[in-house]
Every structure is written in C-alpha cells, then in structure tokens.
Amino acid sequence: MKEKIKFPIALKHILLFSFLIILVLGLTTFLVSTLVRGDDKRKAEENNHTINARTAETVQMTFSNAQKNSYILFDSLSKLSAASKNSGLVRDSLTEDFFRVNGDLAFIFSPDTALQVNPAFKDKISSVGSKKISDFLNANKAALEGGGAEVRYMNAKEILGFSSVISFFKYGPASSRKTAAIGIDTKALETLMSEGANNATILLDESAAILIDPDYERQEKTYPAALPLIDSIKAGGVDNTQSLEETDEGRKFISVHKTKDNLYVVTSVSEKSVFAVINRTTYRIILFSLAVLFIAIIAIRLFSKNITNPIADLVDASAKIERGEFELDIKPRTHDEIGLLTSSFIQMGKGLSEREKLMVSFSKFTNKTIAQKAANGELALGGENRNATIFFSDIRSFTAMSETMQPKEVVEFLNAYMTKMVECVNKTNGVVDKYIGDAIMAVWGAPESAGSPEQDALNAITAALMMRISLFHFNQERKEKGLPPVKIGCGINSGPVVAGQIGSNERMEYTVIGDAVNLASRTEALNKPFATDILITENTYNLIKDKIIVEEMPGVHVKGKTDAIKMFAVINLAGKERPSTIEEVRKIIGTTAPDLAKVNTDDEEKKYKIEG
C-alpha cells in the first residue's frame, strides 16, 4: 500500500519558486513604489507650495490695488467736498472714471461717497437693494472702527448674490480716520485659484472663515482643516507652512500662505490624486506579477514532472522489490542523475534477483534462517554455547523396504515423506540440521530461540505430534495405493550444545554437537523396543512436564552414562482429549505393548540396556 505523500516535490518546487518570485517582484514593487512615491510627494509639495505662494501674491496685489485706488478716490473726494460747491458733479465724474478703471469693484462705500455701485454690476445688485447693502455695511464697519485693525474682509456672496469679498479699511489723516468699504468681484481670482489640475485653492481669514472658494458646491463657511496650520503660522512667526492633514474629504497635502492683510491662502491636493499614477502602476505591476507567477507555476509543474515521474517509477519499483519482484520493467527517461539512478536501480534489481535465486537454492540445502545469516556474513567458522532441544527421527525397517523398490522409487518416497515431516519442523520454528539417509535431525533453540528453553522444548514436541498426525494421513494415502504403512520413531532431548559452523574455510556446515545430541540420537532408537513413536528424556520432560501428557518408561542405562536415564513416551499435549493413554497411541501407530523383560537390545552397538 502506497503511503500518502504530504509534501510532493512538485508542490515544494511551486512553493519555493513562487516564494522567490513573490519576494523579488514584491521587493521590486515596494522599492519602485517607495521611491516614486517619495518623488511624487516632493513634487506635489513643491507644486502645491508654488501655486500657493503665487496665488497669495496675486490675491494680496489685487486687494491692495483695489484698496489703494479706492483710498486715492476717497481722499480726493474728501478734499473736494470741502473746497467746491460743485463737488457732486466732480464726485460723479471721478467715480465714473474710477469704475471704468477698476472694473472688478462692484461698489464703493465711504462717508464721502455713500454707496456707489459700479454700472456693470447694477443689474446684479439691484435685486438686493441699495438700502439693504448700506445697512449691512454700516452694521459691519463698526467692528473695524472699534478695533485697531486697518483692514477687514468679509465674504459677500450671501449679500450680493455672486462671488465677492467686501473689504473694510480706514483712510484719511490720522486725526480724522474714516472707514470705507469696497465690494470686490472675485470671479477672476476664483479662476486663478482653480487653474491647478489637482490643486484646490481657497482664501480664508484668520478664523478660517472662507472668503473665496472656487468650489461653489461647498456648504461649509469655514475650513477647519487649515486652522491648525494657521495657528502654527501665528505661533511660529512665519508666513507659510505645509503639512499632510486628515480632512472630511480624505488626506490632503495642505499649504498655507499668509498675506500682508492677515489673510490665508490655502492650497490643497488630495493624497489620492498625488499617488494615483503610482497606484495604477503598482496595480499593473501586481497584475503582471500574478501573471508571471501563474506562468511560472505551469512551467514549474511541467518541469517537476521530469523529476517526479521518474521518481514515481522508482517508488513503484522499490515497492515491487519489497514484494520480492526483482525483474523491473522501468527504463531511464532522462540523461541526468535521475536517469543514472534508474539504471543503477535496474542493475540492483537484477543483482537482488540473482541473490534471491541463490538464496532459494541455498535454502533448499540448509535452513532459511541459516542461509540468510550466511548471506549477511553473520556466520563465521566456530561455534557458541546454546541451550537447545534436539530431535531425531528414523523410519523403521527402511533397509528392508528399500530393497523392494527401484532407486527412483526410493528417492520419490523419501522426498514425499521428508516434505511432510520437514513442514512440521518449519511450522514450529525448528531448524532441520541434516538428513541422514531416512533419518532427520532437527534443532530448536539454535541458531535462534523461540524465547526460552521451555518454549523451544514445547515446539519440538509439538512438531513431533504434528508428524504423528501427518504420518497417519500419509499412510492412509499409501493404503489406498496398496502400499505398506510407514512407521517412525522420534527421540527428543534438551541440553547444552555447541552450535556453529563446522568444517573448513572452503566448505562449512551449520550443526550442533555435544552430549545432548548423542543422547537424543540414542533416545530415538529406544522407540522400537518400547513400541512407541515419540520418546523424550527427563531433561526435556522437566522443562515442560505440566504441558504434556506422558507415560514414564523404564529407566535406561545409556552408553557413557553412569546413572539410568528416565524416558517418557509422549501421548499428547495437556488439555487434548485424544489420545490420552499409551494404548491409544500404540493403536494409532500400529504397535502392541511389548514385554519389556524380553526386549532384545542391540548387542552390536550396545547403546543401552533396560533395567529389570
């Protein structure tokens, strides 16, 4: 089963290159935006300040000229009124000439002239009424007369009905100062103030009241955003200042210039309009960056396939190798390192295939565990002390049986018999040490133990009982073919052995040696006189006596041993119902109870004698 890949190579490439692209384009956009914004800000401030200073100069010049010209007229009329009885005619003539020269003045008002309206503005003013204007002027000139200021300005739009400013000022000798007023049409100044493409200019008095504003839709009569700058000019003793202020219409660069008459020309430009171009440019750069990123992701994805597809082939190939399939059907797709790795992988598969074939062949000649250890170089010439359980089995009367058979039939018979018996050994984690003709020698506990000598002994007995059952079915098959049954004897003993590689450097064999092995071999031979099929020594019995059902046989003096060795016939595992007695076992294996007193021991080998 394939494991889920949390972070594929394609994803890593996309994330890495996307990060680099975003980082580079982001830094580039930031630097460009920052630098250009800085330049735009400086240019906006310079342009705003220039327009503001120029407008302030024009406003002051316009108002000063109007006041100066009016001052001359008022002073002249004041002198004429005292010297000539015909001053009325002269006054009208001078006033007419005055309005002809000063066409931007809507009216003049003084003690010497009363209210005189410029003929060009009669239609506009007539709707208001001369008396209303005179009352308004008389009411407001008192503010100037009571204070120390020489000039005062008021927004006259609400009174006159058009964009205009009323200027109150004093004239005449110091001993008898008089207050006059003139109405100045500010249409030309409004045109001047609205010339900037993005700049908006207005004229305020020192309380931030609006005098001239080209934005006719503005409803407010004051411009509070400029008040902090006006206060700053007053406190600092300077004529102008500039700052970025927060207004109801958004953030604006506001420049304020003070005129000679304490008026304040305010020129503003919105931050949004200043940075409109760079914002559009930044937006386009971002769109371009996203387009580049999208194209890069597609390109990276296509490029990653050249890496991930061969790697996926290698992953599939490794999965096949894990399953034991060493013949790989992959081919190098590229001519780079991955292609070289693929070629090496193919060669590795061939090598593992050859090794596996060798291991399979080797395992047929020795135990698979030993073969694996030998292939890994874990077995060396020499041995180690182990506690093991040794098993011997032998076919009864095999010599007589083989004399009636052809050599080929003998080999086929042994192969069929050994296959069933060895299967029982392998299923219980035993190791077939060797075949001795028709005999089988097996070991439990070497080269690897099941965990304890007790468990190894129980596994050995379990294998022998499995052989009993397997042999019973084997004989059933032979009976159906009209062949005689096969009888075997099994001898089991437990004890210390030396386990290891025996032989020379050129040819070695893994085996166990020791007195425990010899006793197991001699125990197997006692099955015939005792008419049993599985005998164990007291060494094995003491390890697992509570887990098996046995019947004790007479003690046996084994050659090389002083004391008699107790022998036990294995009936079954504890907890099993059948067989439960030695008679039932003898019935299954086809033997009868012997008279132990008349047993004829093997006089030739004299391996044992039975105690009476």
Side-chain angles (χ1 to χ4, degrees):
M1 183 180 296
K2 293 185 178 179
E3 295 184 2
K4 184 177 180 180
I5 300 174
K6 294 183 178 179
F7 301 102
I9 292 177
L11 177 60
K12 290 181 179 179
H13 280 168
I14 290 174
L15 292 178
L16 175 61
F17 285 99
S18 297
F19 172 76
L20 292 176
I21 291 173
I22 293 173
L23 178 64
V24 172
L25 293 178
L27 287 175
T28 303
T29 303
F30 173 76
L31 291 175
V32 171
S33 176
T34 301
L35 294 176
V36 175
R37 280 177 182 270
D39 291 340
D40 287 350
K41 180 181 178 181
R42 284 190 295 271
K43 290 178 181 178
E45 289 177 339
E46 292 174 359
N47 181 60
N48 204 36
H49 184 73
T50 300
I51 293 175
N52 181 256
R54 187 182 66 213
T55 304
E57 182 180 359
T58 302
V59 168
Q60 183 60 57
M61 185 183 299
T62 301
F63 287 173
S64 295
N65 288 339
Q67 292 167 4
K68 191 178 296 182
N69 293 339
S70 300
Y71 186 99
I72 295 172
L73 175 64
F74 295 150
D75 187 60
S76 300
L77 291 175
S78 176
K79 292 176 182 179
L80 286 173
S81 62
S84 175
K85 294 181 180 180
N86 297 321
S87 59
L89 295 174
V90 175
R91 181 188 60 191
D92 293 340
S93 177
L94 290 175
T95 301
E96 184 179 345
D97 291 339
F98 173 80
F99 281 130
R100 190 179 298 115
V101 174
N102 299 279
D104 56 344
L105 294 182
F107 67 84
I108 58 176
F109 175 81
S110 72
D112 296 303
T113 62
L115 178 63
Q116 298 293 325
V117 179
N118 189 333
F121 290 89
K122 272 190 177 182
D123 293 338
K124 293 181 179 180
I125 293 178
S126 61
S127 62
V128 179
S130 298
K131 185 177 183 304
K132 184 177 180 180
I133 296 174
S134 297
D135 292 342
F136 176 80
L137 296 175
N138 285 322
N140 284 278
K141 75 175 184 177
L144 183 63
E145 292 173 346
E150 291 290 321
V151 182
R152 180 170 173 247
Y153 296 91
M154 292 182 62
N155 191 327
K157 184 176 181 179
E158 291 186 4
I159 298 298
L160 301 179
F162 57 90
S163 298
S164 56
V165 170
I166 297 175
S167 173
F168 294 93
F169 61 93
K170 294 179 180 180
Y171 72 96
S175 58
S176 58
R177 301 285 282 171
K178 300 177 183 180
T179 301
I182 57 175
I184 305 171
D185 180 15
T186 58
K187 183 177 181 181
L189 290 177
E190 286 185 352
T191 302
L192 174 67
M193 292 179 179
S194 60
E195 283 182 353
N198 297 316
N199 303 75
T201 304
I202 59 176
L203 181 65
L204 308 177
D205 64 13
E206 58 184 0
S207 63
I210 297 175
L211 298 177
I212 301 176
D213 184 3
D215 186 2
Y216 297 106
E217 296 181 359
R218 191 190 304 275
Q219 300 298 321
E220 297 84 354
K221 295 181 180 181
T222 61
Y223 193 68
L227 197 55
L229 299 180
I230 293 174
D231 292 338
S232 176
I233 290 175
K234 292 177 180 179
V238 295
D239 292 337
N240 58 78
T241 185
Q242 184 165 245
S243 177
L244 180 62
E245 299 291 333
E246 188 71 42
T247 71
D248 294 338
E249 301 170 352
R251 289 164 59 89
K252 290 186 175 183
F253 293 99
I254 299 178
S255 179
V256 179
H257 200 106
K258 178 183 177 183
T259 69
K260 184 180 69 174
D261 293 336
N262 293 330
L263 299 181
Y264 296 89
V265 177
V266 180
T267 305
S268 63
V269 58
S270 68
E271 184 183 39
K272 184 177 180 181
S273 64
V274 171
F275 297 135
V277 175
I278 186 59
N279 287 339
R280 285 196 298 270
T281 303
T282 303
Y283 176 72
R284 290 168 183 168
I285 291 176
I286 292 174
L287 291 180
F288 173 75
S289 301
L290 292 176
V292 171
L293 180 61
F294 178 74
I295 295 173
I297 290 175
I298 295 176
I300 293 168
R301 183 71 183 94
L302 295 175
F303 171 76
S304 298
K305 284 186 176 181
N306 291 331
I307 299 176
T308 56
N309 288 346
I311 292 178
D313 292 342
L314 293 177
V315 171
D316 293 339
S318 64
K320 290 182 178 180
I321 289 177
E322 288 179 3
R323 297 193 299 267
E325 301 174 16
F326 302 113
E327 296 295 332
L328 306 177
D329 56 353
I330 59 174
K331 295 181 180 180
R333 297 192 184 193
T334 60
H335 299 284
D336 52 12
E337 291 83 353
I338 297 180
L340 180 61
L341 177 62
T342 304
S343 298
S344 300
F345 219 81
I346 295 171
Q347 294 302 319
M348 180 187 71
K350 293 180 179 179
L352 290 173
S353 178
E354 295 297 327
R355 183 176 181 271
E356 182 67 14
K357 291 178 181 178
L358 180 61
M359 285 292 298
V360 171
S361 300
F362 189 26
S363 299
K364 293 180 179 179
F365 294 95
T366 185
N367 180 264
K368 186 176 182 179
T369 302
I370 297 174
Q372 188 66 46
K373 287 180 175 291
N376 295 335
E378 298 177 10
L379 293 179
L381 195 62
E384 58 179 345
N385 294 325
R386 303 293 295 262
N387 283 318
T389 296
I390 304 93
F391 166 94
F392 278 92
S393 70
D394 190 27
I395 300 176
R396 295 285 168 257
S397 304
F398 176 72
T399 303
M401 183 186 300
S402 62
E403 288 178 353
T404 62
M405 302 168 63
Q406 296 296 322
K408 182 179 180 181
E409 294 175 339
V410 173
V411 172
E412 291 177 352
F413 163 73
L414 287 177
N415 287 342
Y417 164 76
M418 295 290 185
T419 298
K420 292 183 177 295
M421 299 301 106
V422 171
E423 182 179 3
C424 300
V425 175
N426 292 336
K427 286 182 177 180
T428 54
N429 298 319
V431 175
V432 175
D433 186 286
K434 61 174 67 69
Y435 301 108
I436 311 170
D438 61 313
I440 300 173
M441 175 183 173
V443 181
W444 283 259
E448 293 181 350
S449 172
S452 65
E454 292 81 2
Q455 186 61 48
D456 292 331
L458 182 61
N459 287 344
I461 292 176
T462 301
L465 292 172
M466 291 172 63
M467 289 180 184
R468 176 190 289 169
I469 297 173
S470 181
L471 183 65
F472 177 80
H473 293 297
F474 183 68
N475 283 331
Q476 291 283 32
E477 295 174 0
R478 289 180 60 83
K479 183 178 180 181
E480 292 175 0
K481 297 177 182 180
L483 299 174
V486 177
K487 298 179 181 180
I488 65 172
C490 302
I492 301 173
N493 180 42
S494 302
V497 297
V498 176
Q501 295 288 86
I502 306 298
S504 66
N505 287 329
E506 295 183 357
R507 188 179 188 281
M508 294 182 288
E509 180 183 37
Y510 186 89
T511 188
V512 292
I513 58 175
D515 186 61
V517 179
N518 297 332
L519 181 56
S521 175
R522 294 170 184 175
T523 301
E524 180 274 321
L526 292 174
N527 281 285
K528 185 174 182 180
F530 287 152
T532 58
D533 63 340
I534 303 173
L535 281 178
I536 62 174
T537 66
E538 61 179 314
N539 296 330
T540 303
Y541 174 74
N542 290 334
L543 290 175
I544 54 169
K545 57 186 175 182
D546 57 337
K547 296 181 179 180
I548 56 176
I549 301 173
V550 297
E551 183 165 323
E552 186 174 352
M553 297 287 106
V556 176
H557 287 283
V558 179
K559 183 179 180 180
K561 297 289 184 181
T562 303
D563 299 328
I565 301 296
K566 291 183 179 181
M567 296 290 170
F568 298 87
V570 177
I571 299 173
N572 210 338
L573 294 175
K576 301 289 185 180
E577 293 184 2
R578 293 286 184 273
S580 59
T581 63
I582 188 66
E583 288 76 15
E584 291 180 359
V585 172
R586 285 174 175 149
K587 185 177 181 180
I588 292 172
I589 63 177
T591 61
T592 57
D595 185 357
L596 299 179
K598 297 181 179 180
V599 169
N600 182 18
T601 61
D602 190 347
D603 293 332
E604 182 180 351
E605 294 189 3
K606 295 186 182 295
K607 293 182 180 179
Y608 53 84
K609 70 176 181 178
I610 301 176
E611 271 188 350

